[in-house]
Amino acid sequence: MSVITITKNNFESEVMRSDKPVLIDFWAEWCGPCRMVAPVVEQIAGEVPALKVGKLNVDEQSEIAGRYGIRSIPTLMIFKNGKPVKQIVGAQPKISIMNAINSVLS
């Protein structure tokens, strides 16, 4: 599955009403660590079919980022049944991200 661009227009349908857990990468163009995490997020989208994966640009979607208290990027947040259940702040190795995902999926 490919990574979905999350905006205020599709947040409700893609995240809040998703029938599977959703990993959102909160990022920005100017953020170096975000660029480091991006390929890992792409890999996870292709490797974990039980998970929906999206990217949310905090500069363009500041209302949503503010709603979830995103103060540092990259932040990866996992939503389940429309609620945030796990948060990873900063560039983390793939194994750390997968451990968080697996704890939500199990």
XYZ file of all heavy atoms in Angstrom:
813
model
N 0.843 -1.172 0.000
C 0.000 0.000 0.000
C 0.894 1.243 0.000
O 1.954 1.256 0.595
C -0.891 -0.013 1.252
C -1.838 1.158 1.324
S -2.891 1.090 2.797
C -4.395 0.563 2.028
N 0.446 2.279 -0.666
C 1.255 3.495 -0.724
C 0.875 4.461 0.402
O -0.153 4.315 1.049
C 1.079 4.172 -2.086
O -0.262 4.541 -2.269
N 1.726 5.446 0.599
C 1.506 6.450 1.637
C 0.466 7.456 1.149
O 0.531 7.928 0.020
C 2.839 7.162 1.981
C 2.612 8.269 2.979
C 3.853 6.161 2.509
N -0.482 7.784 2.006
C -1.565 8.723 1.695
C -1.187 10.102 2.234
O -0.656 10.204 3.335
C -2.872 8.270 2.386
C -3.246 6.859 1.972
C -4.005 9.241 2.120
C -4.230 6.207 2.925
N -1.472 11.130 1.461
C -1.298 12.496 1.964
C -2.531 12.844 2.792
O -3.655 12.786 2.294
C -1.138 13.490 0.796
O 0.035 13.125 0.063
C -0.993 14.917 1.306
N -2.312 13.179 4.046
C -3.411 13.501 4.966
C -3.581 15.024 5.027
O -2.612 15.744 5.238
C -3.142 12.949 6.381
C -2.923 11.427 6.345
C -4.254 13.333 7.352
C -4.135 10.612 5.951
N -4.817 15.466 4.837
C -5.155 16.883 4.912
C -6.414 17.041 5.767
O -7.046 16.050 6.136
C -5.445 17.468 3.518
O -6.649 16.872 3.005
C -4.297 17.221 2.546
N -6.785 18.286 6.028
C -8.018 18.516 6.784
C -9.233 17.989 6.017
O -10.243 17.656 6.619
C -8.184 19.992 7.130
C -8.351 20.892 5.946
C -8.452 22.338 6.374
C -8.556 23.220 5.137
N -8.382 24.604 5.416
N -9.120 17.876 4.697
C -10.238 17.404 3.881
C -10.462 15.896 3.976
O -11.574 15.423 3.778
C -10.035 17.797 2.415
C -10.040 19.298 2.225
O -10.710 20.023 2.949
N -9.258 19.770 1.271
N -9.400 15.129 4.254
C -9.586 13.677 4.313
C -9.241 13.071 5.681
O -9.309 11.864 5.850
C -8.785 12.984 3.203
C -7.278 13.060 3.384
O -6.764 13.642 4.347
N -6.554 12.480 2.447
N -8.889 13.896 6.653
C -8.497 13.386 7.967
C -9.607 12.545 8.596
O -9.364 11.451 9.103
C -8.112 14.546 8.898
C -7.558 14.094 10.216
C -6.236 13.709 10.327
C -8.361 14.042 11.346
C -5.710 13.275 11.547
C -7.855 13.617 12.564
C -6.528 13.229 12.659
N -10.818 13.049 8.541
C -11.959 12.338 9.135
C -12.135 10.951 8.506
O -12.247 9.945 9.214
C -13.232 13.175 8.972
C -14.471 12.563 9.586
C -14.480 12.560 11.108
O -13.857 13.439 11.731
O -15.119 11.669 11.682
N -12.147 10.885 7.183
C -12.405 9.606 6.509
C -11.205 8.663 6.558
O -11.366 7.458 6.767
C -12.826 9.839 5.057
O -11.791 10.469 4.329
N -9.990 9.185 6.389
C -8.810 8.324 6.314
C -8.271 7.907 7.679
O -7.659 6.853 7.807
C -7.687 9.013 5.524
C -7.995 9.233 4.060
C -8.028 7.949 3.239
O -7.728 6.855 3.775
O -8.373 8.034 2.056
N -8.464 8.742 8.697
C -7.885 8.456 10.016
C -8.967 8.128 11.042
O -8.970 7.056 11.629
C -7.011 9.640 10.503
C -6.418 9.341 11.872
C -5.920 9.950 9.486
N -9.871 9.047 11.260
C -10.866 8.889 12.329
C -11.820 7.717 12.084
O -12.234 7.055 13.018
C -11.662 10.184 12.515
C -10.780 11.393 12.841
S -9.688 11.145 14.244
C -10.835 11.352 15.575
N -12.158 7.464 10.832
C -13.099 6.379 10.530
C -12.429 5.191 9.855
O -13.109 4.350 9.277
C -14.236 6.917 9.656
C -15.153 7.855 10.434
C -16.316 8.280 9.618
N -15.837 9.223 8.604
C -16.551 9.694 7.603
N -17.781 9.319 7.437
N -16.034 10.535 6.747
N -11.119 5.097 9.954
C -10.400 3.988 9.329
C -10.721 2.677 10.043
O -10.807 2.637 11.270
C -8.893 4.248 9.387
O -8.192 3.142 8.853
N -10.865 1.622 9.264
C -11.135 0.307 9.851
C -9.846 -0.402 10.278
O -9.887 -1.486 10.833
C -11.939 -0.564 8.884
C -11.252 -0.734 7.543
O -10.262 -0.026 7.277
O -11.711 -1.582 6.750
N -8.702 0.214 10.016
C -7.430 -0.355 10.470
C -6.606 0.745 11.122
O -6.864 1.921 10.908
C -6.674 -1.031 9.331
C -6.409 -0.173 8.121
C -5.470 -0.840 7.129
C -6.162 -1.734 6.146
N -5.275 -2.201 5.071
N -5.626 0.379 11.939
C -4.774 1.394 12.559
C -4.084 2.251 11.492
O -3.808 1.780 10.383
C -3.753 0.574 13.350
C -4.427 -0.728 13.602
C -5.267 -0.979 12.374
N -3.804 3.501 11.848
C -3.202 4.451 10.913
C -1.933 5.033 11.535
O -1.959 5.534 12.661
C -4.174 5.609 10.593
C -3.566 6.555 9.565
C -5.523 5.088 10.115
N -0.841 4.955 10.796
C 0.414 5.602 11.183
C 0.498 6.915 10.417
O 0.419 6.910 9.187
C 1.607 4.715 10.821
C 2.992 5.354 10.980
C 3.335 5.532 12.453
C 4.050 4.528 10.279
N 0.609 8.028 11.134
C 0.762 9.320 10.475
C 2.146 9.874 10.780
O 2.560 9.938 11.939
C -0.304 10.336 10.927
C -1.688 9.830 10.564
C -0.047 11.700 10.268
C -2.792 10.786 10.908
N 2.822 10.272 9.717
C 4.118 10.931 9.816
C 3.866 12.437 9.734
O 3.492 12.949 8.688
C 5.005 10.459 8.652
C 6.353 11.154 8.588
O 6.718 11.853 9.560
O 7.044 10.980 7.564
N 4.019 13.137 10.864
C 3.908 14.594 10.893
C 5.283 15.134 10.497
O 6.268 14.875 11.202
C 3.521 15.076 12.299
C 2.109 14.740 12.683
C 1.810 13.512 13.254
C 1.090 15.660 12.495
C 0.504 13.204 13.626
C -0.218 15.363 12.870
C -0.509 14.132 13.423
N 5.369 15.897 9.414
C 6.645 16.310 8.846
C 6.543 17.700 8.226
O 5.463 18.289 8.177
C 7.074 15.309 7.773
C 6.221 15.406 6.531
C 4.925 14.997 6.390
C 6.573 16.015 5.300
N 4.459 15.291 5.133
C 5.453 15.920 4.448
C 7.733 16.623 4.834
C 5.474 16.417 3.148
C 7.736 17.115 3.540
C 6.622 17.005 2.715
N 7.684 18.199 7.729
C 7.734 19.456 6.967
C 8.883 19.372 5.968
O 9.865 18.654 6.193
C 7.933 20.648 7.894
N 8.760 20.128 4.864
C 9.776 20.142 3.797
C 11.162 20.486 4.328
O 12.154 19.910 3.913
C 9.401 21.168 2.721
C 8.195 20.812 1.896
C 8.514 19.804 0.802
O 9.703 19.636 0.434
O 7.565 19.173 0.322
N 11.254 21.449 5.211
C 12.532 21.990 5.691
C 13.205 21.126 6.759
O 14.312 21.418 7.182
C 12.311 23.407 6.252
C 11.161 23.478 7.216
C 9.880 23.856 6.932
C 11.174 23.148 8.603
N 9.095 23.775 8.056
C 9.858 23.348 9.098
C 12.155 22.707 9.492
C 9.508 23.117 10.433
C 11.803 22.478 10.812
C 10.491 22.687 11.266
N 12.560 20.074 7.183
C 13.024 19.262 8.315
C 13.952 18.134 7.844
O 13.506 17.183 7.195
C 11.786 18.698 9.027
S 12.131 17.434 10.253
N 15.245 18.257 8.182
C 16.219 17.232 7.812
C 15.909 15.859 8.386
O 15.902 14.862 7.645
N 15.664 15.749 9.693
C 15.329 14.433 10.259
C 14.064 13.829 9.633
O 13.961 12.600 9.522
C 15.126 14.723 11.744
C 15.966 15.944 11.998
C 15.864 16.762 10.739
N 13.133 14.674 9.189
C 11.926 14.165 8.514
C 12.312 13.445 7.218
O 11.741 12.410 6.882
C 10.957 15.298 8.191
S 10.292 16.148 9.634
N 13.287 13.999 6.503
C 13.746 13.374 5.254
C 14.449 12.045 5.535
O 14.433 11.148 4.701
C 14.658 14.328 4.483
C 13.893 15.482 3.858
C 14.721 16.236 2.835
N 15.854 16.945 3.429
C 15.799 18.156 3.963
N 14.653 18.804 3.982
N 16.880 18.721 4.471
N 15.057 11.937 6.721
C 15.700 10.675 7.094
C 14.658 9.586 7.379
O 14.874 8.413 7.072
C 16.583 10.869 8.328
C 17.813 11.708 8.080
S 18.682 12.218 9.587
C 18.722 10.742 10.574
N 13.551 9.966 7.973
C 12.507 9.013 8.349
C 11.620 8.634 7.157
O 11.084 7.532 7.110
C 11.649 9.594 9.501
C 10.403 8.780 9.751
C 12.479 9.686 10.773
N 11.499 9.521 6.179
C 10.575 9.309 5.051
C 10.744 7.960 4.343
O 9.743 7.266 4.108
C 10.683 10.464 4.056
N 11.974 7.529 4.007
C 12.099 6.226 3.332
C 11.640 5.058 4.207
O 11.095 4.075 3.704
C 13.594 6.102 3.019
C 14.182 7.447 3.225
C 13.252 8.213 4.106
N 11.829 5.175 5.503
C 11.387 4.119 6.433
C 9.860 4.061 6.439
O 9.263 2.980 6.405
C 11.947 4.371 7.852
C 11.362 3.388 8.850
C 13.460 4.300 7.844
N 9.224 5.227 6.468
C 7.763 5.286 6.443
C 7.240 4.653 5.145
O 6.273 3.889 5.166
C 7.274 6.750 6.608
C 5.786 6.869 6.370
C 7.635 7.269 8.000
N 7.898 4.945 4.024
C 7.513 4.351 2.732
C 7.649 2.827 2.781
O 6.764 2.105 2.313
C 8.395 4.902 1.605
C 8.229 6.375 1.331
C 7.053 6.702 0.440
O 6.524 5.792 -0.225
O 6.653 7.879 0.428
N 8.745 2.332 3.349
C 8.957 0.882 3.463
C 7.854 0.243 4.290
O 7.303 -0.796 3.908
C 10.304 0.579 4.118
C 11.504 0.825 3.271
C 12.801 0.627 4.062
O 12.784 0.177 5.214
N 13.911 0.977 3.452
N 7.538 0.860 5.418
C 6.516 0.314 6.311
C 5.174 0.243 5.597
O 4.442 -0.740 5.713
C 6.437 1.137 7.618
C 7.707 0.898 8.449
C 5.179 0.804 8.413
C 7.894 1.845 9.616
N 4.867 1.276 4.810
C 3.602 1.281 4.056
C 3.517 0.074 3.130
O 2.441 -0.512 2.960
C 3.468 2.577 3.257
N 4.645 -0.328 2.546
C 4.657 -1.468 1.644
C 4.734 -2.815 2.339
O 4.351 -3.833 1.769
N 5.200 -2.818 3.574
C 5.458 -4.079 4.281
C 4.389 -4.481 5.293
O 4.354 -5.638 5.708
C 6.800 -3.991 5.022
C 8.001 -3.864 4.109
C 9.286 -3.576 4.870
O 9.261 -3.496 6.120
O 10.327 -3.420 4.208
N 3.561 -3.554 5.725
C 2.591 -3.850 6.790
C 1.170 -3.599 6.273
O 0.614 -2.513 6.453
C 2.869 -2.997 8.061
C 1.963 -3.441 9.205
C 4.331 -3.093 8.477
N 0.568 -4.594 5.640
C -0.765 -4.391 5.062
C -1.865 -4.144 6.100
O -2.912 -3.593 5.763
C -1.024 -5.688 4.285
C -0.072 -6.688 4.841
C 1.100 -5.928 5.382
N -1.632 -4.504 7.349
C -2.646 -4.294 8.392
C -2.666 -2.846 8.875
O -3.457 -2.499 9.750
C -2.377 -5.220 9.571
N -1.807 -2.005 8.300
C -1.656 -0.624 8.753
C -1.844 0.325 7.575
O -1.313 0.089 6.493
C -0.240 -0.456 9.325
C 0.125 0.857 9.982
C -0.567 0.970 11.340
C 1.638 0.935 10.174
N -2.602 1.385 7.781
C -2.700 2.464 6.803
C -1.626 3.481 7.178
O -1.418 3.751 8.357
C -4.082 3.109 6.874
C -4.345 4.142 5.788
C -5.683 4.828 5.964
C -6.838 3.918 5.657
N -8.128 4.652 5.627
N -0.927 4.023 6.177
C 0.165 4.958 6.439
C -0.094 6.274 5.710
O -0.407 6.283 4.518
C 1.523 4.369 6.001
C 2.648 5.362 6.260
C 1.798 3.050 6.727
N 0.038 7.369 6.455
C -0.165 8.685 5.873
C 0.898 9.667 6.298
O 1.587 9.469 7.306
N 1.047 10.733 5.518
C 1.968 11.821 5.840
C 1.156 13.103 5.943
O 0.295 13.358 5.104
C 3.035 11.977 4.755
C 3.996 10.803 4.704
C 5.034 10.955 3.621
C 6.061 12.000 3.885
N 7.083 11.659 4.866
N 1.449 13.896 6.974
C 0.753 15.156 7.183
C 1.791 16.276 7.295
O 2.631 16.250 8.195
C -0.105 15.083 8.445
C -0.984 16.295 8.703
C -2.329 15.852 9.250
C -0.337 17.277 9.652
N 1.759 17.210 6.352
C 2.682 18.339 6.346
C 2.205 19.348 7.387
O 1.128 19.928 7.252
C 2.731 18.961 4.955
C 3.754 20.065 4.837
O 3.885 20.908 5.715
N 4.468 20.071 3.734
N 2.994 19.553 8.443
C 2.560 20.413 9.551
C 2.455 21.882 9.150
O 1.698 22.641 9.760
C 3.471 20.260 10.796
C 3.394 18.845 11.344
C 4.904 20.653 10.501
N 3.217 22.299 8.135
C 3.114 23.685 7.678
C 1.797 23.939 6.953
O 1.206 25.008 7.074
C 4.288 24.039 6.752
C 5.612 24.135 7.504
O 5.578 24.400 8.726
O 6.655 23.948 6.866
N 1.338 22.944 6.215
C 0.095 23.083 5.446
C -1.138 22.703 6.267
O -2.247 23.150 5.968
C 0.165 22.210 4.191
C 1.256 22.633 3.226
C 1.472 21.636 2.102
O 0.771 20.598 2.054
O 2.358 21.898 1.263
N -0.970 21.863 7.270
C -2.093 21.348 8.062
C -1.873 21.650 9.544
O -1.991 20.778 10.405
C -2.253 19.843 7.836
C -2.355 19.421 6.391
C -3.551 20.011 5.682
O -4.637 20.140 6.250
N -3.374 20.382 4.429
N -1.562 22.899 9.846
C -1.192 23.271 11.216
C -2.343 23.075 12.207
O -2.105 22.808 13.385
C -0.700 24.716 11.261
O -1.695 25.593 10.784
N -3.573 23.168 11.743
C -4.721 22.983 12.640
C -4.735 21.563 13.222
O -4.918 21.384 14.427
C -6.023 23.254 11.881
C -7.255 23.138 12.734
C -8.527 23.362 11.922
O -8.602 24.356 11.182
O -9.438 22.520 12.041
N -4.518 20.561 12.361
C -4.511 19.173 12.831
C -3.291 18.925 13.718
O -3.397 18.303 14.776
C -4.543 18.183 11.655
C -5.860 18.330 10.877
C -4.377 16.746 12.153
C -5.895 17.568 9.575
N -2.124 19.423 13.298
C -0.906 19.254 14.097
C -1.108 19.871 15.480
O -0.730 19.281 16.496
C 0.286 19.880 13.385
N -1.722 21.032 15.539
C -1.986 21.696 16.817
C -2.954 20.917 17.682
O -2.787 20.831 18.903
N -3.960 20.334 17.053
C -4.963 19.560 17.786
C -4.325 18.392 18.538
O -4.769 18.009 19.618
C -6.013 19.029 16.801
C -7.155 18.295 17.464
C -8.154 17.691 16.492
N -8.415 18.492 15.315
C -8.929 17.997 14.178
N -9.244 16.718 14.092
N -9.145 18.781 13.146
N -3.264 17.822 17.967
C -2.612 16.675 18.592
C -1.308 17.043 19.298
O -0.531 16.164 19.674
C -2.410 15.556 17.556
C -3.751 14.977 17.168
C -4.385 15.365 15.997
C -4.418 14.116 18.027
C -5.640 14.885 15.674
C -5.674 13.631 17.714
C -6.279 14.015 16.534
O -7.526 13.542 16.228
N -1.086 18.332 19.491
C 0.049 18.787 20.284
C 1.408 18.507 19.664
O 2.376 18.291 20.389
N 1.483 18.507 18.349
C 2.752 18.247 17.675
C 3.642 19.481 17.817
O 3.353 20.531 17.268
C 2.539 17.902 16.178
C 1.575 16.727 16.023
C 3.884 17.633 15.500
C 1.982 15.446 16.704
N 4.713 19.354 18.571
C 5.628 20.461 18.803
C 7.011 20.195 18.224
O 7.831 21.089 18.129
C 5.756 20.728 20.297
C 4.458 21.157 20.927
C 4.655 21.755 22.280
N 3.534 22.035 23.130
C 2.261 22.179 22.844
N 1.875 22.029 21.622
N 1.355 22.455 23.738
N 7.266 18.960 17.895
C 8.569 18.561 17.390
C 8.340 17.595 16.232
O 7.456 16.739 16.308
C 9.325 17.870 18.523
O 10.664 17.725 18.229
N 9.121 17.764 15.165
C 8.984 16.844 14.034
C 10.351 16.272 13.694
O 11.363 16.917 13.990
C 8.328 17.530 12.805
C 9.093 18.783 12.405
C 6.873 17.808 13.064
C 8.598 19.425 11.124
N 10.392 15.069 13.149
C 9.238 14.246 12.830
C 8.591 13.651 14.079
O 9.270 13.325 15.041
C 9.817 13.128 11.970
C 11.240 12.999 12.432
C 11.655 14.404 12.818
N 7.277 13.556 14.024
C 6.520 12.814 15.022
C 5.690 11.792 14.262
O 5.000 12.144 13.305
C 5.599 13.720 15.848
O 6.391 14.571 16.680
C 4.661 12.908 16.737
N 5.789 10.550 14.674
C 4.943 9.498 14.122
C 3.890 9.183 15.168
O 4.217 8.960 16.332
C 5.763 8.248 13.809
C 6.926 8.421 12.830
C 7.684 7.114 12.687
C 6.443 8.903 11.490
N 2.634 9.203 14.752
C 1.545 8.930 15.680
C 0.700 7.805 15.096
O 0.378 7.820 13.909
C 0.711 10.195 15.890
C -0.269 10.099 17.025
S -1.097 11.682 17.365
C 0.178 12.556 18.242
N 0.384 6.842 15.944
C -0.461 5.724 15.516
C -1.844 5.924 16.112
O -1.992 6.117 17.318
C 0.115 4.370 15.948
C 1.552 4.212 15.423
C -0.774 3.230 15.441
C 2.283 2.997 15.963
N -2.844 5.901 15.230
C -4.243 6.025 15.627
C -4.909 4.667 15.501
O -4.658 3.931 14.547
C -4.982 7.007 14.704
C -4.598 8.439 14.900
C -3.413 8.938 14.392
C -5.446 9.302 15.577
C -3.063 10.272 14.563
C -5.106 10.634 15.760
C -3.909 11.115 15.247
N -5.754 4.353 16.475
C -6.544 3.124 16.430
C -7.952 3.491 16.864
O -8.130 4.133 17.907
C -5.933 2.068 17.360
C -6.537 0.697 17.206
C -5.734 -0.325 17.991
C -6.265 -1.713 17.740
N -5.501 -2.723 18.480
N -8.929 3.110 16.066
C -10.331 3.461 16.336
C -10.500 4.973 16.517
O -11.247 5.430 17.374
C -10.858 2.705 17.555
C -10.795 1.202 17.359
O -11.068 0.697 16.273
N -10.399 0.490 18.391
N -9.756 5.738 15.716
C -9.893 7.193 15.737
C -9.183 7.897 16.881
O -9.310 9.109 17.024
N -8.432 7.156 17.671
C -7.752 7.770 18.826
C -6.245 7.539 18.731
O -5.809 6.448 18.355
C -8.258 7.163 20.126
C -9.705 7.474 20.424
C -10.104 6.846 21.743
C -11.479 7.245 22.201
N -12.551 6.910 21.292
N -5.438 8.547 19.107
C -3.989 8.330 19.116
C -3.618 7.383 20.259
O -4.034 7.581 21.392
C -3.420 9.729 19.342
C -4.531 10.540 19.913
C -5.816 9.896 19.495
N -2.878 6.331 19.928
C -2.517 5.338 20.939
C -1.008 5.209 21.140
O -0.566 4.635 22.131
C -3.121 3.951 20.609
C -4.635 3.985 20.700
C -2.672 3.443 19.251
N -0.218 5.735 20.216
C 1.244 5.626 20.315
C 1.852 6.816 19.606
O 1.350 7.263 18.582
C 1.661 4.359 19.608
C 2.781 3.502 20.077
C 2.966 3.251 21.501
C 3.165 1.789 21.771
N 3.379 1.462 23.117
N 2.951 7.326 20.154
C 3.629 8.466 19.553
C 5.139 8.253 19.624
O 5.662 7.843 20.660
C 3.242 9.745 20.288
C 3.860 10.996 19.722
C 3.271 12.241 20.360
O 2.057 12.399 20.401
N 4.113 13.104 20.870
N 5.812 8.522 18.522
C 7.267 8.420 18.437
C 7.770 9.783 17.975
O 7.400 10.244 16.901
C 7.696 7.342 17.423
C 7.073 6.002 17.778
C 9.206 7.255 17.335
C 7.038 5.012 16.645
N 8.598 10.425 18.791
C 9.099 11.754 18.460
C 10.566 11.664 18.065
O 11.352 11.018 18.744
C 8.919 12.726 19.650
C 9.469 14.103 19.317
C 7.449 12.822 20.054
N 10.902 12.315 16.959
C 12.282 12.336 16.480
C 12.557 11.207 15.510
O 11.773 10.273 15.368
N 13.678 11.336 14.815
C 14.093 10.298 13.864
C 14.524 9.062 14.645
O 15.446 9.120 15.444
C 15.228 10.818 12.996
N 13.824 7.976 14.420
C 14.095 6.719 15.117
C 14.426 5.637 14.092
O 13.961 5.695 12.959
C 12.866 6.275 15.923
C 12.443 7.249 16.990
C 13.418 7.301 18.141
O 13.974 6.289 18.537
N 13.655 8.492 18.655
N 15.193 4.626 14.483
C 15.461 3.534 13.548
C 14.187 2.733 13.272
O 13.244 2.725 14.069
C 16.508 2.685 14.270
C 16.420 3.070 15.711
C 15.868 4.466 15.755
N 14.205 2.055 12.149
C 13.033 1.283 11.727
C 12.593 0.291 12.801
O 11.396 0.128 13.033
C 13.326 0.561 10.411
C 12.133 -0.183 9.863
C 12.446 -0.812 8.534
C 11.243 -1.568 7.993
N 11.558 -2.246 6.721
N 13.528 -0.344 13.477
C 13.172 -1.345 14.486
C 12.339 -0.725 15.609
O 11.376 -1.323 16.081
C 14.428 -2.085 15.040
C 14.020 -3.246 15.932
C 15.357 -1.145 15.766
C 13.487 -4.431 15.198
N 12.668 0.486 16.020
C 11.900 1.165 17.068
C 10.484 1.462 16.600
O 9.514 1.305 17.355
C 12.585 2.473 17.481
O 13.854 2.211 18.020
N 10.386 1.915 15.357
C 9.067 2.232 14.788
C 8.237 0.951 14.670
O 7.061 0.921 15.025
C 9.221 2.952 13.438
C 9.959 4.284 13.639
C 7.857 3.166 12.786
C 10.427 4.950 12.355
N 8.872 -0.118 14.184
C 8.154 -1.400 14.034
C 7.718 -1.953 15.386
O 6.645 -2.534 15.492
C 9.029 -2.410 13.277
C 9.170 -2.115 11.805
S 7.604 -1.986 10.911
C 6.888 -3.599 11.197
N 8.540 -1.790 16.420
C 8.148 -2.260 17.754
C 6.884 -1.539 18.225
O 5.990 -2.154 18.805
C 9.285 -2.055 18.759
C 10.400 -3.065 18.578
O 10.209 -4.128 17.973
N 11.580 -2.737 19.068
N 6.811 -0.222 17.985
C 5.617 0.533 18.359
C 4.406 0.074 17.561
O 3.323 -0.114 18.119
C 5.866 2.034 18.144
N 4.594 -0.138 16.270
C 3.490 -0.604 15.412
C 3.010 -1.976 15.882
O 1.815 -2.210 16.033
C 3.950 -0.657 13.934
C 4.136 0.761 13.405
C 2.943 -1.439 13.085
C 4.872 0.824 12.083
N 3.943 -2.877 16.111
C 3.581 -4.240 16.525
C 2.859 -4.260 17.861
O 1.966 -5.078 18.081
C 4.816 -5.147 16.553
C 5.315 -5.448 15.161
O 4.555 -5.460 14.196
N 6.611 -5.684 15.035
N 3.200 -3.334 18.760
C 2.514 -3.283 20.058
C 1.052 -2.871 19.873
O 0.197 -3.262 20.658
C 3.229 -2.334 21.015
O 3.009 -0.983 20.677
N 0.772 -2.086 18.847
C -0.609 -1.657 18.572
C -1.372 -2.731 17.803
O -2.557 -2.962 18.051
C -0.611 -0.328 17.778
C -2.002 0.027 17.296
C -0.046 0.800 18.645
N -0.698 -3.416 16.894
C -1.356 -4.421 16.073
C -1.628 -5.713 16.815
O -2.526 -6.461 16.444
C -0.526 -4.718 14.819
C -0.379 -3.592 13.821
C 0.497 -4.026 12.641
C -1.731 -3.099 13.317
N -0.857 -6.012 17.862
C -1.021 -7.296 18.555
C -2.170 -7.276 19.541
O -2.676 -6.293 19.946
C 0.265 -7.688 19.256
O 0.629 -6.709 20.206
